[in-house]
mmCIF file of all heavy atoms in Angstrom:
data_model
loop_
_atom_site.group_PDB
_atom_site.id
_atom_site.type_symbol
_atom_site.label_atom_id
_atom_site.label_comp_id
_atom_site.label_asym_id
_atom_site.label_seq_id
_atom_site.Cartn_x
_atom_site.Cartn_y
_atom_site.Cartn_z
ATOM 1 N N ALA Q 198 -88.367 -5.608 48.969
ATOM 2 C CA ALA Q 198 -88.886 -4.601 48.085
ATOM 3 C C ALA Q 198 -88.449 -3.185 48.478
ATOM 4 O O ALA Q 198 -88.024 -2.269 47.587
ATOM 5 C CB ALA Q 198 -90.343 -4.632 47.963
ATOM 6 N N LEU Q 199 -88.475 -3.013 49.710
ATOM 7 C CA LEU Q 199 -88.074 -1.620 50.287
ATOM 8 C C LEU Q 199 -86.588 -1.379 49.994
ATOM 9 O O LEU Q 199 -86.226 -0.236 49.552
ATOM 10 C CB LEU Q 199 -88.418 -1.471 51.746
ATOM 11 C CG LEU Q 199 -89.878 -1.421 52.123
ATOM 12 C CD1 LEU Q 199 -90.073 -1.567 53.614
ATOM 13 C CD2 LEU Q 199 -90.474 -0.135 51.559
ATOM 14 N N LEU Q 200 -85.754 -2.351 50.199
ATOM 15 C CA LEU Q 200 -84.216 -2.245 49.856
ATOM 16 C C LEU Q 200 -83.987 -1.860 48.503
ATOM 17 O O LEU Q 200 -83.194 -1.058 48.230
ATOM 18 C CB LEU Q 200 -83.579 -3.323 50.456
ATOM 19 C CG LEU Q 200 -81.990 -3.418 50.279
ATOM 20 C CD1 LEU Q 200 -81.472 -2.166 51.055
ATOM 21 C CD2 LEU Q 200 -81.362 -4.589 50.887
ATOM 22 N N ILE Q 201 -84.708 -2.632 47.574
ATOM 23 C CA ILE Q 201 -84.515 -2.315 46.211
ATOM 24 C C ILE Q 201 -84.816 -0.814 45.811
ATOM 25 O O ILE Q 201 -84.041 -0.205 45.137
ATOM 26 C CB ILE Q 201 -85.524 -3.228 45.323
ATOM 27 C CG1 ILE Q 201 -85.007 -4.683 45.346
ATOM 28 C CG2 ILE Q 201 -85.661 -2.667 43.910
ATOM 29 C CD1 ILE Q 201 -85.972 -5.591 44.618
ATOM 30 N N LEU Q 202 -85.962 -0.382 46.441
ATOM 31 C CA LEU Q 202 -86.301 0.971 46.155
ATOM 32 C C LEU Q 202 -85.423 2.003 46.822
ATOM 33 O O LEU Q 202 -85.127 3.115 46.094
ATOM 34 C CB LEU Q 202 -87.854 1.181 46.593
ATOM 35 C CG LEU Q 202 -88.853 0.275 45.851
ATOM 36 C CD1 LEU Q 202 -90.231 0.316 46.565
ATOM 37 C CD2 LEU Q 202 -88.972 0.789 44.390
ATOM 38 N N TYR Q 203 -85.100 1.887 47.986
ATOM 39 C CA TYR Q 203 -84.274 2.816 48.705
ATOM 40 C C TYR Q 203 -82.880 2.939 48.036
ATOM 41 O O TYR Q 203 -82.286 3.995 47.884
ATOM 42 C CB TYR Q 203 -84.228 2.521 50.191
ATOM 43 C CG TYR Q 203 -85.372 3.064 51.056
ATOM 44 C CD1 TYR Q 203 -86.144 2.128 51.759
ATOM 45 C CD2 TYR Q 203 -85.779 4.299 51.023
ATOM 46 C CE1 TYR Q 203 -87.238 2.528 52.438
ATOM 47 C CE2 TYR Q 203 -86.865 4.842 51.648
ATOM 48 C CZ TYR Q 203 -87.666 3.887 52.438
ATOM 49 O OH TYR Q 203 -88.673 4.295 53.179
ATOM 50 N N ALA Q 204 -82.255 1.726 47.717
ATOM 51 C CA ALA Q 204 -81.015 1.652 47.060
ATOM 52 C C ALA Q 204 -81.091 2.439 45.789
ATOM 53 O O ALA Q 204 -80.119 3.070 45.406
ATOM 54 C CB ALA Q 204 -80.539 0.339 46.963
ATOM 55 N N SER Q 205 -82.083 2.160 44.983
ATOM 56 C CA SER Q 205 -82.254 2.696 43.640
ATOM 57 C C SER Q 205 -82.474 4.226 43.610
ATOM 58 O O SER Q 205 -82.086 4.973 42.603
ATOM 59 C CB SER Q 205 -83.360 2.108 42.914
ATOM 60 O OG SER Q 205 -83.059 0.649 42.763
ATOM 61 N N VAL Q 206 -83.049 4.879 44.587
ATOM 62 C CA VAL Q 206 -83.430 6.220 44.594
ATOM 63 C C VAL Q 206 -82.233 7.100 44.950
ATOM 64 O O VAL Q 206 -82.237 8.316 44.729
ATOM 65 C CB VAL Q 206 -84.633 6.507 45.526
ATOM 66 C CG1 VAL Q 206 -84.308 6.579 46.989
ATOM 67 C CG2 VAL Q 206 -85.368 7.863 45.075
ATOM 68 N N ILE Q 207 -81.171 6.550 45.682
ATOM 69 C CA ILE Q 207 -79.970 7.341 46.041
ATOM 70 C C ILE Q 207 -79.266 7.977 44.999
ATOM 71 O O ILE Q 207 -79.037 9.209 45.030
ATOM 72 C CB ILE Q 207 -79.138 6.470 46.839
ATOM 73 C CG1 ILE Q 207 -79.583 6.023 48.185
ATOM 74 C CG2 ILE Q 207 -77.730 7.187 47.093
ATOM 75 C CD1 ILE Q 207 -78.776 4.904 48.831
ATOM 76 N N GLY Q 208 -79.066 7.360 43.773
ATOM 77 C CA GLY Q 208 -78.391 7.967 42.692
ATOM 78 C C GLY Q 208 -79.161 9.212 42.064
ATOM 79 O O GLY Q 208 -78.594 10.286 41.996
ATOM 80 N N PRO Q 209 -80.459 9.011 41.822
ATOM 81 C CA PRO Q 209 -81.270 10.195 41.422
ATOM 82 C C PRO Q 209 -81.286 11.393 42.384
ATOM 83 O O PRO Q 209 -81.223 12.602 42.010
ATOM 84 C CB PRO Q 209 -82.652 9.699 41.120
ATOM 85 C CG PRO Q 209 -82.487 8.203 40.841
ATOM 86 C CD PRO Q 209 -81.297 7.863 41.624
ATOM 87 N N TYR Q 210 -81.420 11.035 43.629
ATOM 88 C CA TYR Q 210 -81.440 12.125 44.661
ATOM 89 C C TYR Q 210 -80.057 12.916 44.622
ATOM 90 O O TYR Q 210 -80.031 14.143 44.661
ATOM 91 C CB TYR Q 210 -81.555 11.515 46.055
ATOM 92 C CG TYR Q 210 -82.789 11.182 46.494
ATOM 93 C CD1 TYR Q 210 -83.108 10.190 47.485
ATOM 94 C CD2 TYR Q 210 -83.977 11.784 46.031
ATOM 95 C CE1 TYR Q 210 -84.319 9.797 47.958
ATOM 96 C CE2 TYR Q 210 -85.299 11.446 46.522
ATOM 97 C CZ TYR Q 210 -85.425 10.475 47.480
ATOM 98 O OH TYR Q 210 -86.700 10.176 47.979
ATOM 99 N N MET Q 211 -78.950 12.154 44.495
ATOM 100 C CA MET Q 211 -77.595 12.808 44.531
ATOM 101 C C MET Q 211 -77.494 13.699 43.270
ATOM 102 O O MET Q 211 -77.062 14.874 43.316
ATOM 103 C CB MET Q 211 -76.581 11.738 44.472
ATOM 104 C CG MET Q 211 -76.452 10.917 45.793
ATOM 105 S SD MET Q 211 -75.913 11.923 47.211
ATOM 106 C CE MET Q 211 -74.322 12.171 46.830
#
Side-chain angles (χ1 to χ4, degrees):
L199 290 171
L200 183 54
I201 286 174
L202 295 167
Y203 280 120
S205 298
V206 81
I207 291 172
Y210 279 156
M211 294 293 290

